[in-house]
Amino acid sequence: MISRWSDHEAAGFLERLSPRWGEPLALRTYTSRLLGADKGLVLHGGGNTSVKAKRRTLLGTEVLALFVKGSGWDLDAIEPEGFTPLDWQPLRALDALPHLDDAAMVNELLIRRFDAEAPTPSIETLLHAFLPHAYIDHTHADAILALTNQPDGQARIRAALGDGVAILPYVHPGFELAKAVAALHAAHPGCKGMVLMKHGLVTWGASAKESYEATIELVSRAENHIAQISKPVSRALRRITAVNAARERYLDLAPRLRGALALPTGDPDHPHARCVLAPVITRETLNLVDAENGPELAITPPLTSDHLIRTKNLPLWIDDAAAIPTAIAEFQHRYRERFQRLSSPATPPMTFDPTPRMIFMPGVGAICVGRTAFEAAITRDILGQTLQVKEQILAMGGTYQGLEDADLFAMEYFPLQIKKLARSTEKPLARHVALVTGAAGAIGAGICRGLLDQGCHVAGADLAGAALDSLAMELNIWAPGRFLPVVMDVTSPDAVAAGFAALIEQWGGVDLVIPNAGLAHVAALDELQPAMFQKLQRVNVEGTLLVLAEAARIFKKQATGGDIVMISTKNVFAPGARFGAYSATKAAAHQLARIASLELAEYGVRVNMVAPDGVFSDGARPSGLWAEVGPDRMKARGLDADGLQEYYRNRNLLKARITAAHVAEAVLFFATRRTPTTGATLPVDGGLPDATPR
Ligand code: ZN
C-alpha cells in the first residue's frame, strides 16, 4: 500500500476549506478521504478519524474541540460537516471514571456536541478523546485483520510489525476500549501505533500527514509480511460447478428463496416484509461452496463487529433448494434463541429482524440479503472483503478466528447502533421490486418515476433503442441503483421470460407488475388491414397475456402475493370511431387482467386496472400513442396540436389535463394497497360519464 498524500492536493483542500473551517479540519478532511480511497483500509463506514483544534465560543472564549467523524458519513466522501464538533475537556475527563455504561456514554457524546444539528459522533469517539494527539486515524485494514483474526494473532502481528506498535486484546468498543487504549498508550509512550485485536489499527500524529502515513506504513508492513509467508492454496472440491450452470440454478430458486426470507407482518394488506437479494456467483464463491470443507470455511463470524448489522453474527448455509424453508426457519429460531440467551435487563428490545444476510449454497454460490438493493450491495462488498481476508489467512497457513458470540452480541445490541437504525424511515415500496412494460413511453416513464419515488426497485422494459437508453440514463440519476432497463419484446415468450430473469438476477424476484406496453392504430373498420389488426393484437393482447402469465408463475413460486396494475384505457368503456383495432385489443387485454384477478386471488395477488384518457407526453417524452392518433384527430376536428390537447381537457367534467404523473398516482394507489380491492378499474380521465366503468 502506498501513500496517496500529495502536497498539491493538500493545498487544494486548504484553499477550498480552511477559510470557513480552519486548517486542521481542512487537512483532516483531506487525509480522511485518502484513507477512504483505499478499500483495503475502510469499507462502508468502517473506520473513523479525528482532529483536535481550537474553537471560539459566542462569547469569544477559546475552547478545545474534538472533531470526530459522524455517523452517516463515509470517509471517502467526507466533508467538514461530517465531523461532529465536541467539547473535548469534559469528554477526556470521563477517563477518570471506573465504569460508564453504553447508554450513559451515548448521552455524554450527544450532550457534548457544539452543534445540536451535527451528526451523532462515532461510537469510538472516546478512544479519540482519551488519546492526546492532534490527529488520530482508525481503520479496520484488511491486512491487519488477516493477522489479528487468527488464534496466534498477537504473535503474527509482532512478527509483521515489530516492537514499535502496542497490541491490545479485544475489548468491547465504547468506554471500555477507550480506557484500555489510553492505558496501553500511557504504558508505551514511544509506540507509533496500536493494533486492536480482531478490530483494527490506530495511528496518530501531530499533523494530518504524519498520522495518515503511519497507517500506510504499518499496513504496508503487514501486507509485505503476508506476501512473504504466503503459498498458493489448493482446495479439495466435492464437485465443480460451471458459473453458468450455477446462474441457471439461482434464477430458478431465487424467487423461492426470497419468498421464504420474507417475514410475516400480521398486517392483512401488507402481509410480508420482503427483502432484496444480491447474488455473488463467481468462480471464487463456487470454489468455496463446493469445497470439501465448504461450511467450515464459509460459516464464520464477521471480520469486525461493525460488519454485524450488515452480516448478522453468522452466515447461513443451505444444502439445496429443497432445504430452503427449513434452513431459514432454523436460522430465525437460532437468532431469537440467541437473543434470549445473551440479553440482559440492560439490552434494548430485539430490534433486528431474524433474517440471515449472507447465504451460501453449494452449486450456486453466495447470496446477499438486504431490505433494499443498497443494503444488499453493502453486504456483497463486505462478503467480498471477508472472503479475501480468509483466503489470505489460508494462504499463510493460518486458521480464521472471529469474535466470540457474546462480544458480537454486545456490539449488535449497542444503544448507539440501535439509535442509528431507529432513525431510518422506510418508504411504502422500499422492499418491493416492480416490472413496468412499455417503460420508455410517456405513461410508462411516469409510472417508473412514481414507483421509484416510493422507494421501489423498478425494471423498465421496452424495445431496445434510444428511448429506453435515455430513460435509463435519466432514472439512474434519479434513483441510483434502483432502476434496471430491460430489453423486452412483449410478443415473444422467450423475451418475456428473459426479461423477468434479468430482474430476478438483479433483485431476486418481483412483487409488482405493470403491463403497460401497447400500440395504437387509426383506421375505420372497412379500411383496417388485417395485418395491422394482428400487429396490435400481438402487442396489446398476447403481450399482456405473456406478461401476466410469467408474473403469475413467479408470484406462485415466491408465495408472498403480489400486485398487478394493468394500464387499460378509457376506450375499453367508450370506444372511438376509427379506433377499432386499439379499442378491441385493449378490451381483450382488460378482460385478461380481470381473469387474472379471479385466478390469482387465492395466491394473495391483487389485479387492478387503471383507465387513463389522453396523456400526450411526460415532460419532453412524447406519447407514442398520440404520435399515431394525434394527426388523425387533429384533421378530423380541424385543430392544431395544442388545440387538440385543449379539446381533450375540455371534454371532461373537471376540465383536467391528464398527465403521466396522474396515472402513476393511480398505480400507486393500488400498489401501496390502500384498500382490499381486486378486479377493479380506476378511471384517470377528469370525469367522462360515457367511460365510467360498468
Ligand atoms: Zn473500529
Side-chain angles (χ1 to χ4, degrees), residues 47-48 124 138 140 199:
N48 41 69
E124 286 164 337
H138 168 49
H140 303 162
H199 180 165

Side-chain angles (χ1 to χ4, degrees), residues 275-597:
C275 58
V276 173
L277 308 183
V280 191
I281 302 168
T282 59
R283 191 65 267 143
E284 290 72 30
T285 52
L286 284 166
N287 282 349
L288 176 78
V289 292
D290 289 341
E292 291 283 2
N293 55 347
E296 194 186 311
L297 293 173
I299 308 304
T300 57
L303 285 181
T304 68
S305 60
D306 69 314
H307 289 177
L308 265 173
I309 55 166
R310 308 293 184 190
T311 63
K312 298 255 184 250
N313 55 321
L314 285 175
L316 170 64
W317 182 274
I318 304 181
D319 278 320
D320 54 48
I324 288 173
T326 341
I328 291 172
E330 283 172 8
F331 183 95
Q332 293 170 341
H333 174 76
R334 283 195 300 273
Y335 190 80
R336 292 195 175 98
E337 181 273 329
R338 167 176 172 266
F339 182 85
Q340 298 304 333
R341 184 162 37 86
L342 296 175
S343 60
S344 71
T347 311
M350 188 170 140
T351 337
F352 299 108
D353 61 61
T355 307
R357 291 295 190 272
M358 286 179 180
I359 295 170
F360 291 96
M361 291 186 74
V364 178
I367 301 124
C368 296
V369 184
R371 290 173 303 178
T372 62
F374 180 74
E375 285 189 3
I378 292 179
T379 303
R380 185 169 53 193
D381 288 351
I382 291 174
L383 177 109
Q385 183 203 20
T386 307
L387 295 185
Q388 213 176 321
V389 169
K390 286 199 209 170
E391 286 298 322
Q392 285 183 342
I393 290 176
L394 290 177
M396 63 179 110
T399 313
Y400 179 81
Q401 189 184 55
L403 287 170
E404 295 294 324
D405 200 33
D407 291 327
L408 289 172
F409 184 82
M411 268 313 277
E412 200 172 355
Y413 284 88
F414 195 43
L416 210 60
Q417 299 273 36
I418 304 282
K419 216 175 149 63
K420 210 192 284 186
L421 221 83
R423 261 203 320 269
S424 57
T425 49
E426 207 170 56
K427 290 195 169 174
L429 298 179
R431 296 157 178 254
H432 293 62
V433 176
L435 174 80
V436 181
T437 69
I443 289 181
I447 294 170
C448 289
R449 210 178 287 114
L451 292 170
L452 290 168
D453 243 3
Q454 295 306 312
C456 200
H457 305 78
V458 180
D462 215 312
L463 297 175
L468 184 60
D469 295 345
S470 84
L471 180 74
M473 217 178 325
E474 178 194 329
L475 295 184
N476 277 322
I477 297 168
W478 180 281
R482 286 193 290 119
F483 182 76
L484 177 73
V486 171
V487 173
M488 186 197 281
D489 172 355
V490 293
T491 65
S492 149
D494 288 349
V496 170
F500 273 94
L503 177 71
I504 289 171
E505 185 161 23
Q506 190 78 10
W507 293 314
V510 65
D511 311 300
L512 187 54
V513 174
I514 321 289
N516 166 63
L519 274 187
H521 177 62
V522 178
L525 295 182
D526 56 355
E527 298 162 352
L528 180 57
Q529 298 295 316
M532 275 315 290
F533 185 84
Q534 279 152 12
K535 191 174 167 190
L536 263 68
Q537 126 86 23
R538 288 201 66 203
V539 174
N540 296 356
V541 186
E542 287 176 38
T544 302
L545 173 63
L546 291 174
V547 169
L548 290 174
E550 191 64 20
R553 282 190 275 272
I554 297 170
F555 284 159
K556 286 180 187 175
K557 255 191 189 178
Q558 225 167 221
T560 50
D563 282 86
I564 295 171
V565 186
M566 187 242 172
I567 306 305
S568 182
T569 166
K570 156 260 175 199
N571 290 63
V572 167
F573 307 95
R578 300 173 54 74
F579 218 28
Y582 180 74
S583 303
T585 53
K586 285 297 276 189
H590 187 100
Q591 195 75 319
L592 286 172
R594 289 183 60 188
I595 287 160
S597 77

Side-chain angles (χ1 to χ4, degrees), residues 100-168:
L100 182 66
D101 70 47
D102 290 342
M105 182 192 77
V106 169
N107 185 58
E108 281 299 309
L109 298 184
L110 293 176
I111 63 170
R112 298 300 175 194
R113 283 179 297 183
F114 279 128
D115 176 355
E117 300 290 307
T120 304
S122 159
I123 48 169
E124 286 164 337
T125 295
L126 290 184
L127 181 156
H128 295 264
F130 292 176
L131 287 174
H133 307 280
Y135 289 84
I136 292 166
D137 292 35
H138 168 49
T139 55
H140 303 162
D142 291 1
I144 300 292
L145 294 171
L147 296 169
T148 62
N149 287 29
Q150 300 195 48
D152 52 352
Q154 293 214 17
R156 287 185 181 271
I157 286 287
R158 196 53 83 204
L161 305 185
D163 293 331
V165 295
I167 303 175
L168 187 71

Side-chain angles (χ1 to χ4, degrees), residues 239 241 244-254 286 362-364:
R239 58 166 161 186
T241 312
N244 268 343
R247 183 177 165 271
E248 287 301 316
R249 211 170 280 150
Y250 176 72
L251 290 177
D252 181 49
L253 65 81
L286 284 166
V364 178

